[in-house]
Amino acid sequence: MSSGRVETQRTKSAADKRRLILDAAVRVFARQGFHACRVSDIADEAGVAYGLVYHYFASKDEVLDTLFLERWNVMLELIRQVDGEQMPVRDKLEAIASFIVDSYQHDPDLMKVIIVEVTRAANSFGNTHIATIREAYDLIGGMISEAQAAGLFKSEIDARFAAMAFYGAIEQLLTGWIFELLPQGPEDFKRAKWLVVETVCGGLESRAGEQERLG
Amino acid sequence: MSSGRVETQRTKSAADKRRLILDAAVRVFARQGFHACRVSDIADEAGVAYGLVYHYFASKDEVLDTLFLERWNVMLELIRQVDGEQMPVRDKLEAIASFIVDSYQHDPDLMKVIIVEVTRAANSFGNTHIATIREAYDLIGGMISEAQAAGLFKSEIDARFAAMAFYGAIEQLLTGWIFELLPQGPEDFKRAKWLVVETVCGGLESRAGEQERLG
Amino acid sequence: MSSGRVETQRTKSAADKRRLILDAAVRVFARQGFHACRVSDIADEAGVAYGLVYHYFASKDEVLDTLFLERWNVMLELIRQVDGEQMPVRDKLEAIASFIVDSYQHDPDLMKVIIVEVTRAANSFGNTHIATIREAYDLIGGMISEAQAAGLFKSEIDARFAAMAFYGAIEQLLTGWIFELLPQGPEDFKRAKWLVVETVCGGLESRAGEQERLG
Amino acid sequence: MSSGRVETQRTKSAADKRRLILDAAVRVFARQGFHACRVSDIADEAGVAYGLVYHYFASKDEVLDTLFLERWNVMLELIRQVDGEQMPVRDKLEAIASFIVDSYQHDPDLMKVIIVEVTRAANSFGNTHIATIREAYDLIGGMISEAQAAGLFKSEIDARFAAMAFYGAIEQLLTGWIFELLPQGPEDFKRAKWLVVETVCGGLESRAGEQERLG
DNA sequence: GATGAATGAGGGTTCATTCAT
DNA sequence: GATGAATGAACCCTCATTCAT
């Protein structure tokens, strides 16, 4: 019994250290960038010894891999769940946008790292995780495709392209926040969720604009 | 006369080597990524001696800076020109989208490098060039803002956010091509130009979808 | 207890490696010169891995800085101590000369490095350590100044200049040994100590020479 | 005739450029140090093209070699001439000290370069020119030796050591000026010439000091 | 588990020197 | 003579990773 508890204790402690390192890595990667930081910076930030990082992770890359996958899989889970529900497509897309914006609001460093170091890194991490990344795009594309089949979305717009445009719009808002080009008050986050969906689904054009255009 | 020709010859030759290096760098950066390639890879690809890279550029960074600025400034020029013309806002945005897609079609490696290594690189090149990058966002934001003032675009959507969403949608299409997630035949490029504008301006929603939603 | 011993062991071992590198650096700097040697030469001479040099020292410069300061500070200590004692000025100067000659005799490489690479290097290390170097000159100048005030030394000779002449005379003897222009048997070292003081204090001139001159 | 004049003209012009480069090198070596400056720095300072330095000199080293030898040979000439004259030894030594101090006063940069980069550089230029350098020491040693044979100088002090002490005292005064540790007004230079000879020949000790010492 | 000393390959940059014009 | 583009060897330093304790 007591030995069992000690074991649990130890395991828990170990898990804690691992988490400590991951959280420290997020801050360091966000602050300095993956390439510009050293493994020792992570250890220092975590307040652990140099070599301990290698006790829990096989390499510096694996730390980032872990961070990315942890978060991306949660997002995939959310998307899959949304996908399975009976819900207007617009609400589905808003759920996804909300999740991503909430993720940024909750842990901007982590989302910064994912967006800056992974999803665009075509020659390194982006390439490694392309299948995982793609899954999100495909799921969103599937939702749009369904909406098109139901006549709710225009069919002239290729669903895969539309999915990319939608996702790209969201990521660019995050990029705007990361570069401090866009305001990031609580209200801004809230409106951003609606805004991106309204833009992509309803369009920027007003009724008047549309009439003007169509003459 | 002859000395004049020699001068021209010389100058031209020198400029050629510089261009040779820049073009080689595009290919190498695109193939391996900025961090993963060595300066010697660029020199080898250009077929020049190692040190010559440093004769024309102060550092490896400066090579990428040069590539980015060359292209981005051409784009800024285009945007400014479009901005100055009398033209429906939708046409303006399509001109921009067209320019970017054409740029990719014409030199995918260069656009890959810019998108992968610069515009998202918040801790390195993106940060260095943030003012230049921002100028594009601001110009687009200005166009949208004007359209809102004219009642052609919905006013509830913050113009700065809308501009980011629009630009992000385009970049993500390029990202899709870069990762080979989207088809990139001549027809695809052509339709992409229209598609991204139609999505952002007109919205994905069909008339039927809109009625369904508004009940 | 045992952990304490391990700590000591570890610390000692670490200190040993550092010392190993410093001692190797002395030999390498003396043999090849600071500029002509590579950091790998030091590592090889010490029998340690290349990177270990950078584990203990921030740069190649810092290795030389350390060597210089270690020795120069011992000398300053000696000079300060001598300065504080009640002792004829001639004995004080001889103590200093003795210390320097002994230093050379004990570790000619180290003194060679200091004299060749530091005390004259007006654009590099000499400039870096000028304040520390000057302290020695000033202390000697102070001794001479006191002797002048006491009437024991001629007052027409500026004490600062005299101190420089005295120190320069000694360093030049070392330079003579370094270049193998002067004999360096045990007897030579011993006589050199006396000789330099006798020259600077008593003068080269014999009683007869003086009478001849003054007529 | 005219071709001859043109030849002369050309030769003269060439010699001028060579001199231009040498003079520029003195300034650059003095300012930055031999190792820290680049050949292009010399060319820039001289206002000539990069490659021209290599038209007149086989290497960067040869530039310094030339500067050193030019000056040192003039000094050797002076010492030899003084050596050949009938003159009290003290006057001979003062002539040498005067020449060196005058050299510094006239062109401090050149003397700085010689003292900092050559006469102590046991592993590079000092070693290359050791025979030439030594000649000066030997000539001075010879003078002292003669004076000892004539009974004018004490015989207990080895002439070679005494010569080194004398020369070292002078060089150290220059070092003091170079490091700006000693005042260098016109009066200071003048007094320095006398001072160094008085110190080495007459000694620092006053008559009172001597009596005190000898009891 | 935890520590941090030890390793050594790798790469950016410098710069003396060459050479075509 | 004069120019400066071109060459490429050399070297300092970084830092991911290993390993003995």
Side-chain angles (χ1 to χ4, degrees), chain C residues 63-86:
Chain C
V63 177
L64 180 50
D65 287 337
T66 303
L67 289 172
F68 166 74
L69 286 172
E70 274 188 5
R71 192 72 210 150
W72 198 265
N73 280 326
V74 174
M75 185 179 78
L76 282 179
E77 203 52 52
L78 181 279
I79 299 179
R80 278 193 216 99
Q81 181 199 308
V82 164
D83 192 31
E85 286 185 39
Q86 281 295 99

mmCIF file of all heavy atoms in Angstrom, chain C residues 63-86:
data_model
loop_
_atom_site.group_PDB
_atom_site.id
_atom_site.type_symbol
_atom_site.label_atom_id
_atom_site.label_comp_id
_atom_site.label_asym_id
_atom_site.label_seq_id
_atom_site.Cartn_x
_atom_site.Cartn_y
_atom_site.Cartn_z
ATOM 1 N N VAL C 63 40.205 33.229 -22.127
ATOM 2 C CA VAL C 63 41.264 32.348 -21.631
ATOM 3 C C VAL C 63 42.518 33.169 -21.336
ATOM 4 O O VAL C 63 43.110 33.062 -20.255
ATOM 5 C CB VAL C 63 41.587 31.235 -22.654
ATOM 6 C CG1 VAL C 63 42.745 30.378 -22.149
ATOM 7 C CG2 VAL C 63 40.360 30.371 -22.906
ATOM 8 N N LEU C 64 42.875 34.020 -22.287
ATOM 9 C CA LEU C 64 44.066 34.849 -22.074
ATOM 10 C C LEU C 64 43.828 35.859 -20.964
ATOM 11 O O LEU C 64 44.714 36.085 -20.116
ATOM 12 C CB LEU C 64 44.445 35.556 -23.381
ATOM 13 C CG LEU C 64 45.671 36.465 -23.330
ATOM 14 C CD1 LEU C 64 46.869 35.770 -22.704
ATOM 15 C CD2 LEU C 64 46.022 36.964 -24.716
ATOM 16 N N ASP C 65 42.640 36.453 -20.960
ATOM 17 C CA ASP C 65 42.312 37.393 -19.882
ATOM 18 C C ASP C 65 42.532 36.739 -18.521
ATOM 19 O O ASP C 65 43.119 37.327 -17.622
ATOM 20 C CB ASP C 65 40.836 37.828 -19.990
ATOM 21 C CG ASP C 65 40.599 38.783 -21.146
ATOM 22 O OD1 ASP C 65 41.554 39.436 -21.587
ATOM 23 O OD2 ASP C 65 39.450 38.875 -21.608
ATOM 24 N N THR C 66 42.036 35.527 -18.404
ATOM 25 C CA THR C 66 42.140 34.811 -17.136
ATOM 26 C C THR C 66 43.592 34.567 -16.750
ATOM 27 O O THR C 66 43.995 34.806 -15.613
ATOM 28 C CB THR C 66 41.394 33.465 -17.238
ATOM 29 O OG1 THR C 66 40.046 33.713 -17.596
ATOM 30 C CG2 THR C 66 41.448 32.713 -15.916
ATOM 31 N N LEU C 67 44.346 34.094 -17.717
ATOM 32 C CA LEU C 67 45.763 33.828 -17.446
ATOM 33 C C LEU C 67 46.478 35.097 -16.989
ATOM 34 O O LEU C 67 47.230 35.089 -16.022
ATOM 35 C CB LEU C 67 46.447 33.287 -18.714
ATOM 36 C CG LEU C 67 46.060 31.866 -19.112
ATOM 37 C CD1 LEU C 67 46.643 31.535 -20.475
ATOM 38 C CD2 LEU C 67 46.556 30.874 -18.061
ATOM 39 N N PHE C 68 46.226 36.162 -17.720
ATOM 40 C CA PHE C 68 46.890 37.419 -17.376
ATOM 41 C C PHE C 68 46.508 37.882 -15.979
ATOM 42 O O PHE C 68 47.364 38.184 -15.147
ATOM 43 C CB PHE C 68 46.538 38.498 -18.406
ATOM 44 C CG PHE C 68 46.898 39.869 -17.929
ATOM 45 C CD1 PHE C 68 48.231 40.285 -17.891
ATOM 46 C CD2 PHE C 68 45.921 40.741 -17.468
ATOM 47 C CE1 PHE C 68 48.581 41.538 -17.424
ATOM 48 C CE2 PHE C 68 46.253 42.001 -16.990
ATOM 49 C CZ PHE C 68 47.591 42.403 -16.965
ATOM 50 N N LEU C 69 45.209 37.928 -15.728
ATOM 51 C CA LEU C 69 44.746 38.478 -14.449
ATOM 52 C C LEU C 69 45.216 37.649 -13.267
ATOM 53 O O LEU C 69 45.615 38.195 -12.237
ATOM 54 C CB LEU C 69 43.219 38.595 -14.452
ATOM 55 C CG LEU C 69 42.687 39.735 -15.319
ATOM 56 C CD1 LEU C 69 41.175 39.681 -15.425
ATOM 57 C CD2 LEU C 69 43.134 41.093 -14.749
ATOM 58 N N GLU C 70 45.161 36.330 -13.427
ATOM 59 C CA GLU C 70 45.653 35.450 -12.358
ATOM 60 C C GLU C 70 47.057 35.857 -11.924
ATOM 61 O O GLU C 70 47.348 36.032 -10.744
ATOM 62 C CB GLU C 70 45.704 33.999 -12.848
ATOM 63 C CG GLU C 70 44.423 33.223 -12.714
ATOM 64 C CD GLU C 70 44.643 31.748 -13.051
ATOM 65 O OE1 GLU C 70 45.814 31.356 -13.281
ATOM 66 O OE2 GLU C 70 43.665 31.004 -13.080
ATOM 67 N N ARG C 71 47.915 35.985 -12.905
ATOM 68 C CA ARG C 71 49.321 36.268 -12.593
ATOM 69 C C ARG C 71 49.537 37.705 -12.170
ATOM 70 O O ARG C 71 50.254 37.993 -11.212
ATOM 71 C CB ARG C 71 50.184 35.960 -13.831
ATOM 72 C CG ARG C 71 51.683 35.936 -13.530
ATOM 73 C CD ARG C 71 52.043 34.705 -12.745
ATOM 74 N NE ARG C 71 53.174 34.893 -11.851
ATOM 75 C CZ ARG C 71 53.339 34.238 -10.705
ATOM 76 N NH1 ARG C 71 52.431 33.366 -10.312
ATOM 77 N NH2 ARG C 71 54.394 34.453 -9.951
ATOM 78 N N TRP C 72 48.924 38.619 -12.908
ATOM 79 C CA TRP C 72 49.151 40.037 -12.616
ATOM 80 C C TRP C 72 48.651 40.395 -11.223
ATOM 81 O O TRP C 72 49.268 41.177 -10.504
ATOM 82 C CB TRP C 72 48.468 40.913 -13.674
ATOM 83 C CG TRP C 72 48.996 42.319 -13.716
ATOM 84 C CD1 TRP C 72 48.488 43.401 -13.078
ATOM 85 C CD2 TRP C 72 50.169 42.771 -14.409
ATOM 86 N NE1 TRP C 72 49.247 44.517 -13.346
ATOM 87 C CE2 TRP C 72 50.284 44.167 -14.157
ATOM 88 C CE3 TRP C 72 51.120 42.153 -15.224
ATOM 89 C CZ2 TRP C 72 51.323 44.936 -14.698
ATOM 90 C CZ3 TRP C 72 52.147 42.918 -15.762
ATOM 91 C CH2 TRP C 72 52.252 44.294 -15.493
ATOM 92 N N ASN C 73 47.540 39.788 -10.832
ATOM 93 C CA ASN C 73 46.998 40.080 -9.510
ATOM 94 C C ASN C 73 47.908 39.552 -8.406
ATOM 95 O O ASN C 73 48.022 40.172 -7.347
ATOM 96 C CB ASN C 73 45.588 39.517 -9.356
ATOM 97 C CG ASN C 73 44.572 40.431 -10.004
ATOM 98 O OD1 ASN C 73 44.731 41.651 -9.998
ATOM 99 N ND2 ASN C 73 43.533 39.844 -10.579
ATOM 100 N N VAL C 74 48.548 38.424 -8.645
ATOM 101 C CA VAL C 74 49.528 37.937 -7.674
ATOM 102 C C VAL C 74 50.665 38.946 -7.550
ATOM 103 O O VAL C 74 51.126 39.263 -6.450
ATOM 104 C CB VAL C 74 50.078 36.553 -8.087
ATOM 105 C CG1 VAL C 74 51.202 36.131 -7.146
ATOM 106 C CG2 VAL C 74 48.960 35.514 -8.075
ATOM 107 N N MET C 75 51.083 39.474 -8.687
ATOM 108 C CA MET C 75 52.163 40.455 -8.662
ATOM 109 C C MET C 75 51.725 41.732 -7.944
ATOM 110 O O MET C 75 52.459 42.289 -7.129
ATOM 111 C CB MET C 75 52.645 40.788 -10.066
ATOM 112 C CG MET C 75 53.862 41.716 -10.048
ATOM 113 S SD MET C 75 54.472 42.117 -11.697
ATOM 114 C CE MET C 75 53.271 43.346 -12.202
ATOM 115 N N LEU C 76 50.528 42.161 -8.230
ATOM 116 C CA LEU C 76 50.024 43.365 -7.554
ATOM 117 C C LEU C 76 49.991 43.154 -6.046
ATOM 118 O O LEU C 76 50.347 44.044 -5.262
ATOM 119 C CB LEU C 76 48.616 43.717 -8.065
ATOM 120 C CG LEU C 76 48.548 44.409 -9.430
ATOM 121 C CD1 LEU C 76 47.094 44.669 -9.822
ATOM 122 C CD2 LEU C 76 49.326 45.725 -9.412
ATOM 123 N N GLU C 77 49.579 41.955 -5.677
ATOM 124 C CA GLU C 77 49.529 41.613 -4.260
ATOM 125 C C GLU C 77 50.918 41.753 -3.638
ATOM 126 O O GLU C 77 51.090 42.355 -2.574
ATOM 127 C CB GLU C 77 49.024 40.166 -4.114
ATOM 128 C CG GLU C 77 48.412 39.861 -2.773
ATOM 129 C CD GLU C 77 47.341 40.876 -2.429
ATOM 130 O OE1 GLU C 77 46.438 41.095 -3.260
ATOM 131 O OE2 GLU C 77 47.441 41.456 -1.332
ATOM 132 N N LEU C 78 51.893 41.189 -4.343
ATOM 133 C CA LEU C 78 53.275 41.262 -3.866
ATOM 134 C C LEU C 78 53.735 42.707 -3.751
ATOM 135 O O LEU C 78 54.326 43.123 -2.745
ATOM 136 C CB LEU C 78 54.168 40.473 -4.842
ATOM 137 C CG LEU C 78 55.670 40.342 -4.625
ATOM 138 C CD1 LEU C 78 56.430 41.571 -5.099
ATOM 139 C CD2 LEU C 78 56.020 40.063 -3.147
ATOM 140 N N ILE C 79 53.462 43.478 -4.772
ATOM 141 C CA ILE C 79 53.904 44.874 -4.769
ATOM 142 C C ILE C 79 53.242 45.644 -3.625
ATOM 143 O O ILE C 79 53.887 46.398 -2.898
ATOM 144 C CB ILE C 79 53.597 45.561 -6.123
ATOM 145 C CG1 ILE C 79 54.344 44.848 -7.263
ATOM 146 C CG2 ILE C 79 53.998 47.032 -6.077
ATOM 147 C CD1 ILE C 79 54.086 45.435 -8.638
ATOM 148 N N ARG C 80 51.938 45.418 -3.464
ATOM 149 C CA ARG C 80 51.225 46.105 -2.386
ATOM 150 C C ARG C 80 51.811 45.738 -1.024
ATOM 151 O O ARG C 80 51.997 46.580 -0.155
ATOM 152 C CB ARG C 80 49.738 45.734 -2.407
ATOM 153 C CG ARG C 80 48.940 46.543 -3.408
ATOM 154 C CD ARG C 80 47.437 46.390 -3.185
ATOM 155 N NE ARG C 80 46.745 46.403 -4.458
ATOM 156 C CZ ARG C 80 46.343 45.336 -5.111
ATOM 157 N NH1 ARG C 80 46.552 44.121 -4.609
ATOM 158 N NH2 ARG C 80 45.731 45.446 -6.270
ATOM 159 N N GLN C 81 52.112 44.469 -0.872
ATOM 160 C CA GLN C 81 52.667 44.001 0.399
ATOM 161 C C GLN C 81 54.029 44.640 0.668
ATOM 162 O O GLN C 81 54.284 45.189 1.741
ATOM 163 C CB GLN C 81 52.789 42.483 0.341
ATOM 164 C CG GLN C 81 53.332 41.850 1.619
ATOM 165 C CD GLN C 81 53.853 40.444 1.338
ATOM 166 O OE1 GLN C 81 53.132 39.635 0.761
ATOM 167 N NE2 GLN C 81 55.102 40.174 1.713
ATOM 168 N N VAL C 82 54.867 44.617 -0.343
ATOM 169 C CA VAL C 82 56.186 45.226 -0.241
ATOM 170 C C VAL C 82 56.050 46.709 0.075
ATOM 171 O O VAL C 82 56.778 47.271 0.901
ATOM 172 C CB VAL C 82 56.959 45.035 -1.574
ATOM 173 C CG1 VAL C 82 58.155 45.980 -1.645
ATOM 174 C CG2 VAL C 82 57.404 43.585 -1.722
ATOM 175 N N ASP C 83 55.100 47.317 -0.603
ATOM 176 C CA ASP C 83 54.869 48.748 -0.420
ATOM 177 C C ASP C 83 54.537 49.077 1.030
ATOM 178 O O ASP C 83 54.906 50.133 1.544
ATOM 179 C CB ASP C 83 53.718 49.182 -1.345
ATOM 180 C CG ASP C 83 53.617 50.695 -1.440
ATOM 181 O OD1 ASP C 83 54.667 51.371 -1.333
ATOM 182 O OD2 ASP C 83 52.496 51.206 -1.637
ATOM 183 N N GLY C 84 53.843 48.148 1.680
ATOM 184 C CA GLY C 84 53.398 48.415 3.047
ATOM 185 C C GLY C 84 54.475 48.178 4.096
ATOM 186 O O GLY C 84 54.312 48.562 5.250
ATOM 187 N N GLU C 85 55.543 47.556 3.690
ATOM 188 C CA GLU C 85 56.579 47.224 4.680
ATOM 189 C C GLU C 85 57.593 48.344 4.889
ATOM 190 O O GLU C 85 57.804 49.174 4.013
ATOM 191 C CB GLU C 85 57.301 45.940 4.253
ATOM 192 C CG GLU C 85 56.436 44.700 4.462
ATOM 193 C CD GLU C 85 57.212 43.430 4.141
ATOM 194 O OE1 GLU C 85 58.409 43.356 4.482
ATOM 195 O OE2 GLU C 85 56.594 42.533 3.535
ATOM 196 N N GLN C 86 58.209 48.302 6.063
ATOM 197 C CA GLN C 86 59.327 49.198 6.361
ATOM 198 C C GLN C 86 60.571 48.571 5.767
ATOM 199 O O GLN C 86 61.020 47.518 6.218
ATOM 200 C CB GLN C 86 59.502 49.338 7.872
ATOM 201 C CG GLN C 86 58.537 50.287 8.526
ATOM 202 C CD GLN C 86 58.737 51.729 8.060
ATOM 203 O OE1 GLN C 86 58.008 52.191 7.183
ATOM 204 N NE2 GLN C 86 59.731 52.415 8.610
#
